[in-house]
Amino acid sequence: MTATTQTRNRQEGPRPSTPTARKLRRGRALAGYMFVAPFMIVFLLMFLVPLLYAAYFSLFREQLVGGNVFVGLENYTRAFGDEQLWTGIARVCLFFLIQVPIMLVAALAFALALDTGLVRLKRTTRLGIFVPYAVPGVIATLMWGFLYGPDFGPFAQLAEKIGMSAPDFLGPDLMLGSLANIVFWEFTGYNMVILFAALRSVPTEIYEAAAVDGAGQWRIAWSIKIPALKGALAVCMIFSIIGAFQLFNEPQLMQSLAPTVIDAAYTPNLYAYNLAFVGQEYNYAAAVSFVLGLVILVGSYAFMFATNRRSRR
Amino acid sequence: MNPRFSRRTGLTAALAGPLALAACGRHTVDPPKSVTQDQIDEAMRTPTELNFWTWVPDIEKEVALFQDAYPAISVDIVNAGQGNPHYAKLRTALRAGNGAPDVAQLEFQMIPSFVITEDLLDLGPYGAAAIGDQFVEFAWSQVSGPNGEVWAIPQDTGPMGMLYREDIFQAHGIEVPATWDDFAAAAQRLHEADPEVYLTNFAPSQGAFFAAMLWQAGADPFGGSEGPDLNVDLTSPEAEKVARYWGELSEQDLISVDADFNDQWYQALNKGKYATWIAPAWAPTFLQSAAASTSGLWRVAPLPQWEAGQAVSSNWGGSTSAVMATTRNPIAAAVFAQFINTDPQSTATMANEQFLYPPTKALLEDPAFTGQQLEFYGGQEVNGLFAEIGTTVAPDFQWAPFQDKVYADFTATVGTGVAEKTDAFAAMEAWQARIEEYAKYQGFTVRKP
């Protein structure tokens, strides 16, 4: 893209700037703005304005008794020292470290397997892996909640039939793993589709050349396909970082099954929600949301920085 | 994983919630000293549209009766969710200054939470001051303010009783416990006889149940609070007694500690895991559909007592109709709230078709209501029993001005403590500490009597 811009500049630069050309250019520029206007308006109204308002709002403290006062950064100082918030952030970090590698490796394996053309019923298989993503997260969580049931869930019943006791999926030790499993089930197919699409755009000549050079399927996967997927994997990774840190639906729904395990601050998002809508601490909830946003930003940048440096080396 | 919009809802909601609070000078009604009948007649003849938020199924029936009586008024019914989601939306709309309903359903325990934010209209001047004696005392005292305000009109109640499985009791020779000591002994006996069955279940996130237990024991943790002065006393001897009782039953593994109102719990009720459900007057109807396979096996008894020979009960749940202070149609809204909850036909429909347990004396003394024999309970006259129990509900129990937060903290402290068999009284202290800290943060002056 840089190359094309440069060529265009070189062409346009020395050309005498006649009034008509200038008018034309201005007209063209205007058209450009018109084209992006619908997006920009919605972006401004629905994204930037609320964001700015929430930022403004996070500088106040409104009490049930005593009204609204400007408190500067007090909500942020509280957030940075809030043990509940940081326990939640640590928890989603752990969730991310366990869940995302497994999910992305599985998605990669499925994509590579489908791309070899050796899998039978390719479309059906692809669809089968993708289908869970089409199931609304709420339904998926309710379904898994039933499957995990300690007394009457199918796993528990099955274990009982063979004289064993099923692990307590909803207990404090396994809950995070149980949630990770739901997210794995929901999103592996989605990531697989991104990776699979990226694989389809690799020119087949490269594979032919590799085959001529005597490379087998494993070697092609390792030396050609996986390097070609670097960009797509990075995208999946960023989405996963954001998704993991914003974990909300699954724990929120599982709360009704295990209220003593999933507390009000189980994940940072759940904490912000409960602060705002149970405790009516709207201002502090806004500050917590910003701190969470900051953590996600730092995490995403750290990841991009690390991968960029490695690829440059 | 980009399109996890659902997951972002939390953050978006947290960000968008405050946005809606851009308090652009909201309009509220200046309550008049009194409203004349002429003014009321005039308002009820003027074409008006009322907005009514409620989650009561088939409320259209009562609304239709109202519209027959007042054809000029049309009522738009909105179901904004049940319980917490309803309150979250209501609060947001009220603070935004527009979009709030004229009339909304409020559970009894939420009334002080909306009074503290000055969101409710005092219905006293609109004729409600004169209708108090139509309601049972404990229901009316829950909607009354300290200076004679009427914050809402009671719609249904939940005096506490005990639903039990007669077949399980008979199979193990257990008598219906009259006192909590009997209850504990029965719990032990039953669990020893059949380790798969528990005498009852203590749901760790059911703050409302625990509040009913405190109420019955004579603890009134927030009693005497007024406006910014908040009393918090969760470590009184009465409260301690209740906490230790349930804590010890759980420690000895004599009761189960499953979360309630979820699929697992419904199955447990159907499969006979719990021999009793300590529950209010709305429970019998609820159970008929939730545990349909156990029809005929259940009976109802009064709540076990702390002292033999006593008859003291409390209340769990029940709702009211409240008029929002932001309404543009205070008279029509106030008349509507009173009509659906006092009109004989409307209240009878609620009680007999929607099975809302009535707070009006007229129905509770009506043999057509109290004498109904319910097949699910072996032909027992359940309504009549609860009507008797209702007369034993202590009228003085006060809710916190942030009761939803109190319940959330209950789950985190006492609920979890009982479930995990840790010291229940220490959990009460933790509950007290959390509420005190929160109340101070919200600007209350906290007093511990």
Side-chain angles (χ1 to χ4, degrees):
Chain A
M1 207 145 45
T2 355
T4 42
T5 346
Q6 273 167 1
T7 10
R8 201 187 297 153
N9 283 349
R10 222 177 294 138
Q11 283 170 352
E12 285 176 10
R15 211 194 287 163
S17 187
T18 62
T20 19
R22 232 179 296 146
K23 211 159 133 200
L24 196 71
R25 225 176 309 148
R26 217 180 306 137
R28 234 193 260 158
L30 191 69
Y33 286 118
M34 296 290 281
F35 276 123
V36 295
F39 167 76
M40 287 313 280
I41 291 169
V42 173
F43 179 72
L44 234 117
L45 285 181
M46 299 293 160
F47 193 80
L48 279 185
V49 172
L51 206 63
L52 288 176
Y53 183 74
Y56 166 78
F57 198 74
S58 68
L59 304 177
F60 289 82
R61 184 172 80 188
E62 187 173 14
Q63 297 173 305
L64 284 175
V65 178
N68 201 4
V69 280
F70 179 80
V71 292
L73 293 177
E74 200 184 286
N75 286 322
Y76 289 91
T77 354
R78 182 181 160 199
F80 279 106
D82 188 338
E83 201 190 322
Q84 282 188 292
L85 172 63
W86 293 99
T87 313
I89 289 176
R91 186 174 287 122
V92 289
C93 277
L94 183 66
F95 176 90
F96 169 79
L97 291 175
I98 300 170
Q99 194 264 334
V100 173
I102 299 177
M103 176 176 70
L104 291 188
V105 166
L108 179 66
F110 285 134
L112 288 172
L114 285 172
D115 193 56
T116 56
L118 299 176
V119 178
R120 276 187 211 171
L121 295 169
K122 197 160 133 188
R123 295 178 71 163
T124 322
T125 315
R126 202 165 65 202
L127 191 68
I129 300 172
F130 186 70
V131 148
Y133 179 70
V135 176
V138 174
I139 308 287
T141 310
L142 290 176
M143 183 190 84
W144 279 101
F146 164 73
L147 293 175
Y148 289 148
D151 282 337
F152 309 107
F155 293 133
Q157 299 268 312
L158 202 71
E160 201 183 327
K161 277 218 175 93
I162 55 172
M164 283 164 47
S165 63
D168 185 7
F169 295 111
L170 302 176
D173 299 331
L174 287 185
M175 180 56 89
L176 202 62
S178 301
L179 289 171
N181 177 53
I182 299 176
V183 175
F184 175 87
W185 185 83
E186 285 174 297
F187 289 102
T188 302
Y190 175 76
N191 286 292
M192 189 248 342
V193 166
I194 295 183
L195 297 175
F196 184 71
L199 277 179
R200 302 312 286 175
S201 67
V202 176
T204 44
E205 295 83 17
I206 300 181
Y207 299 143
E208 282 160 18
V212 169
D213 287 345
Q217 285 290 353
W218 288 107
R219 186 63 203 258
I220 290 177
W222 183 252
S223 301
I224 300 175
K225 291 185 178 177
I226 293 181
L229 283 177
K230 221 185 303 172
L233 273 170
V235 168
C236 289
M237 195 69 179
I238 297 284
F239 288 166
S240 302
I241 293 175
I242 297 172
F245 277 87
Q246 297 202 350
L247 197 63
F248 178 77
N249 261 355
E250 291 80 3
Q252 158 91 342
L253 286 163
M254 292 296 251
Q255 207 169 29
S256 73
L257 297 178
T260 60
V261 178
I262 297 183
D263 60 21
Y266 195 77
T267 72
N269 246 359
L270 199 57
Y271 186 43
Y273 175 86
N274 281 317
L275 282 171
F277 295 115
V278 177
Q280 300 181 70
E281 297 177 62
Y282 301 100
N283 308 92
Y284 183 51
V288 162
S289 304
F290 271 99
V291 171
L292 175 63
L294 189 72
V295 170
I296 294 174
L297 210 66
V298 168
S300 306
Y301 267 101
F303 169 74
M304 286 204 278
F305 185 71
T307 44
N308 278 348
R309 229 180 36 177
R310 196 175 310 152
S311 62
R312 232 177 268 145
R313 211 188 299 155
Chain B
M1 265 186 269
N2 185 25
R4 281 192 191 176
F5 292 113
S6 49
R7 218 171 259 167
R8 293 194 177 154
T9 331
L11 189 62
T12 324
L15 292 175
L19 178 72
L21 310 180
C24 25
R26 68 168 204 174
H27 149 100
T28 53
V29 179
D30 281 328
K33 287 265 178 320
S34 68
V35 182
T36 64
Q37 191 58 42
D38 286 346
Q39 284 172 300
I40 293 178
D41 293 342
E42 166 80 38
M44 300 314 286
R45 276 195 304 267
T46 315
T48 309
E49 221 171 276
L50 288 181
N51 193 279
F52 179 34
W53 286 13
T54 180
W55 64 79
V56 172
D58 298 329
I59 194 74
E60 290 80 4
K61 291 179 187 171
E62 289 78 19
V63 168
L65 292 171
F66 173 77
Q67 288 181 334
D68 287 345
Y70 301 101
I73 319 283
S74 72
V75 181
D76 185 20
I77 303 163
V78 176
N79 183 343
Q82 176 163 2
N84 285 343
H86 166 91
Y87 299 124
K89 285 175 202 152
L90 188 57
R91 274 180 180 143
T92 310
L94 284 165
R95 303 188 66 177
N98 71 58
D102 299 286
V103 185
Q105 183 179 5
L106 282 191
E107 290 161 284
F108 286 100
Q109 80 273 9
M110 292 304 289
I111 292 173
S113 303
F114 282 85
V115 169
I116 192 81
T117 44
E118 294 171 1
D119 286 320
L120 301 187
L121 180 69
D122 175 11
L123 301 176
Y126 300 90
I131 61 171
D133 57 359
Q134 297 183 27
F135 294 92
V136 291
E137 192 190 353
F138 79 89
W140 193 253
S141 76
Q142 303 272 312
V143 300
S144 306
N147 305 312
E149 299 96 336
V150 180
W151 295 122
I153 311 296
Q155 183 162 83
D156 69 303
T157 58
M160 289 290 284
M162 181 176 74
L163 281 54
Y164 67 96
R165 284 279 298 266
E166 196 192 35
D167 57 325
I168 298 179
F169 273 39
Q170 270 178 0
H172 300 287
I174 292 169
E175 295 204 1
V176 178
T179 66
W180 287 114
D181 283 340
D182 295 348
F183 188 86
Q188 182 147 21
R189 191 154 156 206
L190 177 62
H191 194 56
E192 274 166 12
D194 185 349
E196 302 273 300
V197 180
Y198 292 90
L199 185 58
T200 200
N201 178 57
F202 180 95
S205 56
Q206 198 48 267
F209 164 78
F210 197 76
M213 290 294 102
L214 291 176
W215 186 341
Q216 188 209 13
D220 186 10
F222 305 102
S225 303
E226 216 182 321
D229 293 319
L230 185 75
N231 291 357
V232 188
D233 188 9
L234 286 161
T235 52
S236 66
E238 294 86 3
E240 182 179 354
K241 177 173 71 178
V242 173
R244 290 208 189 280
Y245 181 81
W246 290 102
E248 275 165 30
L249 281 182
S250 171
E251 248 168 68
Q252 299 167 43
D253 199 29
L254 299 179
I255 52 171
S256 59
V257 287
D258 305 334
D260 57 2
F261 296 97
N262 61 43
D263 190 57
Q264 170 84 16
W265 183 74
Y266 295 135
Q267 295 210 41
L269 282 172
N270 274 290
K271 297 193 173 156
K273 183 178 177 185
Y274 319 131
T276 71
W277 181 24
I278 297 163
W282 46 259
T285 312
F286 179 84
L287 196 65
Q288 284 185 12
S289 53
S293 69
T294 55
S295 178
L297 304 177
W298 293 84
R299 297 292 180 274
V300 183
L303 214 50
Q305 299 295 315
W306 286 106
E307 305 273 343
Q310 268 186 338
V312 184
S313 184
S314 56
N315 185 73
W316 168 5
S319 289
T320 67
S321 304
V323 175
M324 301 300 113
T326 51
T327 181
R328 302 264 170 192
N329 314 299
I331 295 178
V335 172
F336 172 73
Q338 293 173 67
F339 178 92
I340 58 166
N341 298 312
T342 55
D343 175 76
Q345 207 185 337
S346 175
T347 51
T349 312
M350 278 187 203
N352 295 322
E353 293 180 31
Q354 281 128 304
F355 305 107
L356 297 173
Y357 198 80
T360 54
K361 289 178 187 163
L363 270 169
L364 292 169
E365 288 161 7
D366 179 3
F369 173 74
T370 56
Q372 287 171 19
Q373 297 179 340
L374 303 188
E375 203 184 314
F376 193 88
Y377 300 89
Q380 196 180 358
E381 293 178 2
V382 171
N383 288 342
L385 177 60
F386 275 111
E388 274 169 42
I389 291 174
T391 62
T392 67
V393 176
D396 43 356
F397 188 80
Q398 204 173 333
W399 300 105
F402 41 81
Q403 190 64 33
D404 38 356
K405 173 71 177 160
V406 169
Y407 283 160
D409 284 338
F410 165 80
T411 307
T413 55
V414 182
T416 305
V418 171
E420 291 179 354
K421 308 186 196 316
T422 57
D423 187 278
F425 185 66
M428 291 294 275
E429 289 176 320
W431 191 17
Q432 166 96 21
R434 273 187 182 230
I435 294 170
E436 277 185 25
E437 190 191 331
Y438 175 80
K440 280 178 196 153
Y441 183 80
Q442 287 289 9
F444 290 91
T445 312
V446 179
R447 301 179 299 199
K448 192 172 178 230

